[in-house]
Amino acid sequence: MPEWEKRFRAPRVGLPDWAEDAPDRSLFVSNATGTYELYAWDRATGSQRRATDRPNGTTDGVLTPDGEWIWWFCDTDGDEFGVWQRQPFRGGADEPAVPGLAPSYPAGLALGRDGTAVVGRSTDDEGSTIHVVRPGSAPVEIYRHRESAGVGDLSHDGTLIAVEHTEHGDAMHSAVRVVRLDGTPVAELDDTKGGTEELGLEVLGFAPLAGDSRLLVAHQRRGRWEPMIWDVATGEESDLALDLPGDVSAEWYPDGSALLVVHSFEARSGLFRFDLATRSLIEIDTPAGSVSGATARPDGTVEYLWSSAQSPSEVRSTTGEVVLDPPGFKAPPSVPVEDAWVEGPGGRIHALVQRPAGDGPFPTLFEIHGGPTWHDSDAFASGPAAWVDHGYAVIRVNYRGSTGYGRAWTDALKHRVGLIELEDIAAVRDWAVASGLADPERLVLAGGSWGGYLTLLGLGTQPDAWALGLAAVPVADYVTAYHDEMEALKAMDRTLLGGTPEEVPDRFRASSPLTYVDAVRAPVYISAGVNDPRCPIRQVENYVDRLAARGARHEVYRYDAGHGSLVVEERIKQVRLELDFAARHLTP
């Protein structure tokens, strides 16, 4: 078996979630059987069992506070539209968790200690709704709005609900409202000032103590994400003002005495403990790389999921132990990542570079991340590692729109959507060629989701720059995509482009790959999930039909899943098809 396939097939586990009042009961995701599923883990006995078993996998699940039940979201073959199911922690038959609620897209879930559930939903017809479900009672709707909204958290005593909403119409910057279980408002925090300021808020969680009305909230008031504590009963806001560069998030320690701080800066991340009494910030020792999740345990230890571009992920503890060691062989390591800083039209651009053995210039894959509000980091990724194994340099660009470099960088792509990101990618491409790293005749533009969108847009707007394109689950026809996609993404597109396709047709036309499809000269490979609610299949077919009509070199692979696959063999198949397409179409 080649090394690149081993990286996909090697058993791996996610960060375990644990029941707040029964911390020995945990839930985690693993690919141990070849499909990503939920597993129940009794730490007291060491026993583990697979809780879900579906052809296309399951990753969305949560434990009730007492650890007696597992709630998991049941959709149809990755379409993200479905209902919550539940099963006993020790095992047993699944049953509808909320029988009175029709299928929907999920929009947050909070479970109370008395069995109450707060369920967020989204549908194309209804918009966003939130329902309170008490034991033995029918669901009661307490919130409804056409714009995006969702459940943030439920207070420890089950009396207050924190709701993130975008009633002001800016889907990139949420406000926070706290309501009682009957929906009556308690407090409101809106840094957008009714949509006039581009400042967002995010619910991080209520204090883990009975009767405590403090809510941990992330804000952007100083141009980056930072935590603060908001007492919703008194209105008092406690600014933590942590002296750390980059974005900062946090969660409560279980006893409420401190915050576990996650700090992300320039594609790396680390952990700190912030003591609320002394206001002291103490660094928690973690290896260089990226922490993609962390949780503080009741005994004060911290468990975290760590990796680097070179080293596969592990669930570690501040005790020095590996918390979960999946059975089977270990994923082979890859090569470390190097940082490149390139001057671009909107400021310095950060790119991450992995080089194969030997001397350049190399055939080079520009692997463009999705989101767009996301970023590439010094973390293990089997896909880029596969290309390095095949002799390619891999470059990942944190273009304008990426997170982790301040609010101005993330918000910069509005209205000229896609075109701004491609300006940054072009600047890094020019650097890569001029530095001798990249062979200008063998440049591959690739990505999934938003990265797939930028791939198709780049092939059409920069036809002389790219020798090949590989687009997975892309936006290909922006207008059709808007009309077919899930409601929450419609709201995001209205924010990014300033309106609907009918209101701002020129912006949609300028940002749509379909507009430039006849200029595409490079061979293009497209993969798409037939059940994808984010980048629906019809708009992909429109683009493919235009390629076919003029005999352009292209191949299309359609698979029976949604926005990506949770099946390991399917992931391997897709990478193999892309590698083969590149081998056949790139000039040696």
Side-chain angles (χ1 to χ4, degrees):
M1 187 190 303
E3 298 284 276
W4 74 267
E5 289 190 26
K6 290 180 182 178
R7 295 192 191 97
F8 283 95
R9 289 199 172 97
R12 63 187 66 192
V13 294
L15 182 70
D17 183 25
W18 49 275
E20 294 176 10
D21 298 335
D24 281 341
R25 294 190 170 187
S26 292
L27 188 69
F28 64 89
V29 175
S30 177
N31 68 337
T33 62
T35 302
Y36 284 85
E37 296 285 3
L38 295 169
Y39 286 74
W41 175 28
D42 189 329
R43 297 182 185 225
T45 64
S47 66
Q48 298 177 8
R49 70 170 185 88
R50 185 173 57 187
T52 55
D53 183 8
R54 302 194 301 153
N56 284 300
T58 314
T59 58
D60 294 336
V62 65
L63 291 169
T64 54
D66 60 9
E68 291 295 323
W69 292 91
I70 298 168
W71 282 51
W72 60 276
F73 191 74
C74 180
D75 64 355
T76 302
D77 295 329
D79 67 359
E80 301 182 46
F81 194 83
V83 297
W84 287 99
Q85 298 269 58
R86 70 173 192 169
Q87 68 173 254
F89 180 83
R90 292 187 177 88
D94 293 310
E95 63 184 43
V98 191
L101 289 182
S104 68
Y105 298 110
L109 174 71
L111 302 177
R113 284 164 172 77
D114 64 351
T116 297
V118 185
V119 183
R121 301 169 66 254
S122 173
T123 68
D124 294 342
D125 295 332
E126 297 175 297
S128 302
T129 60
I130 295 176
H131 304 257
V132 170
V133 190
R134 299 180 186 272
S137 300
V140 176
E141 181 183 303
I142 64 162
Y143 179 91
R144 177 182 290 259
H145 202 277
R146 286 303 311 172
E147 298 292 347
S148 298
V151 178
D153 197 19
L154 179 66
S155 62
H156 186 279
D157 59 10
T159 62
L160 300 174
I161 303 166
V163 176
E164 290 183 15
H165 72 83
T166 59
E167 294 173 6
H168 47 274
D170 182 349
M172 293 181 68
H173 302 95
S174 295
V176 175
R177 179 176 303 146
V178 176
V179 301
R180 299 181 181 88
L181 266 66
D182 61 2
T184 57
V186 174
E188 179 92 16
L189 199 60
D190 180 10
D191 281 5
T192 75
K193 296 180 172 62
T196 62
E197 299 283 345
E198 293 185 337
L199 293 172
L201 298 168
E202 180 184 356
V203 173
L204 301 179
F206 276 105
L209 304 171
D212 197 326
S213 59
R214 292 176 300 165
L215 181 65
L216 190 61
V217 176
H219 68 89
Q220 296 178 302
R221 296 172 182 175
R222 282 186 287 266
R224 63 192 180 110
W225 284 109
E226 301 175 82
M228 69 172 182
I229 295 175
W230 175 37
D231 190 324
V232 302
T234 66
E236 179 184 3
E237 299 175 16
S238 300
D239 187 352
L240 304 181
L242 302 178
D243 187 20
L244 295 169
D247 286 339
V248 181
S249 186
E251 69 170 48
W252 298 92
Y253 271 75
D255 63 0
S257 66
L259 301 177
L260 175 61
V261 173
V262 181
H263 171 233
S264 300
F265 183 57
E266 296 183 350
R268 276 87 180 175
S269 53
L271 299 174
F272 293 82
R273 185 183 191 276
F274 181 74
D275 187 278
L276 292 171
T278 63
R279 299 186 70 82
S280 58
L281 186 67
I282 302 168
E283 185 170 6
I284 296 172
D285 186 32
T286 60
S290 294
V291 174
S292 55
T295 182
R297 296 278 293 163
D299 62 1
T301 61
V302 174
E303 295 176 354
Y304 58 96
L305 185 63
W306 171 89
S307 73
S308 69
Q310 185 175 15
S311 302
S313 62
E314 290 183 328
V315 180
R316 298 188 172 195
S317 169
T318 50
T319 63
E321 300 175 344
V322 174
V323 177
L324 269 176
D325 194 10
F329 63 90
K330 305 299 182 185
S334 185
V335 299
V337 73
E338 305 168 16
D339 296 285
W341 291 92
V342 179
E343 290 299 326
R348 282 207 317 161
I349 308 159
H350 190 195
L352 304 175
V353 180
Q354 288 177 282
R355 300 171 184 259
D359 299 322
F362 303 103
T364 300
L365 179 87
F366 280 73
E367 177 72 21
I368 310 304
H369 71 73
T373 51
W374 190 250
H375 68 273
D376 279 314
S377 59
D378 182 6
F380 195 75
S382 298
W387 289 90
V388 174
D389 285 1
H390 285 79
Y392 291 78
V394 176
I395 299 177
R396 290 176 281 173
V397 182
N398 283 332
Y399 50 76
R400 277 172 287 174
S402 302
T403 54
Y405 300 88
R407 178 175 61 85
W409 190 260
T410 302
D411 289 351
L413 57 80
K414 283 187 176 180
H415 299 174
R416 292 184 61 243
V417 172
L419 304 174
I420 285 177
E421 301 96 297
L422 287 169
E423 290 175 355
D424 292 347
I425 294 166
V428 176
R429 181 194 66 224
D430 292 345
W431 162 83
V433 171
S435 69
L437 169 67
D439 180 346
E441 302 301 319
R442 293 186 292 171
L443 298 178
V444 181
L445 187 58
S449 190
W450 198 262
Y453 158 65
L454 293 177
T455 294
L456 296 183
L457 190 64
L459 295 177
T461 59
Q462 304 168 353
D464 297 325
W466 306 103
L468 194 77
L470 307 169
V473 291
V475 174
D477 169 3
Y478 216 141
V479 173
T480 302
Y482 175 86
H483 289 300
D484 289 0
E485 68 193 2
M486 58 202 301
E487 183 62 34
L489 293 185
K490 284 186 174 73
M492 178 61 76
D493 283 338
R494 290 193 297 271
T495 297
L496 288 173
L497 289 155
T500 68
E502 293 72 31
E503 293 166 339
V504 287
D506 291 345
R507 289 177 182 171
F508 272 84
R509 187 179 305 111
S511 293
S512 178
L514 189 66
T515 302
Y516 313 96
V517 64
D518 292 336
V520 173
R521 291 202 288 272
V524 55
Y525 173 89
I526 299 173
S527 59
V530 298
N531 303 315
D532 192 344
R534 298 173 181 268
C535 299
I537 191 68
R538 183 168 72 106
Q539 52 94 28
V540 173
E541 301 290 10
N542 291 347
Y543 186 90
V544 170
D545 289 346
R546 287 280 295 274
L547 288 175
R550 64 182 185 88
R553 291 173 295 171
H554 73 284
E555 292 180 15
V556 184
Y557 173 64
R558 303 167 183 85
Y559 57 95
D560 189 20
H563 199 60
S565 176
L566 299 176
V567 180
V568 171
E569 288 299 330
E570 178 61 38
R571 291 185 175 186
I572 292 171
K573 179 181 181 180
Q574 292 180 24
V575 174
R576 187 184 291 117
L577 288 170
E578 290 182 346
L579 288 165
D580 176 68
F581 186 83
R584 287 186 285 112
H585 289 280
L586 269 189
T587 303

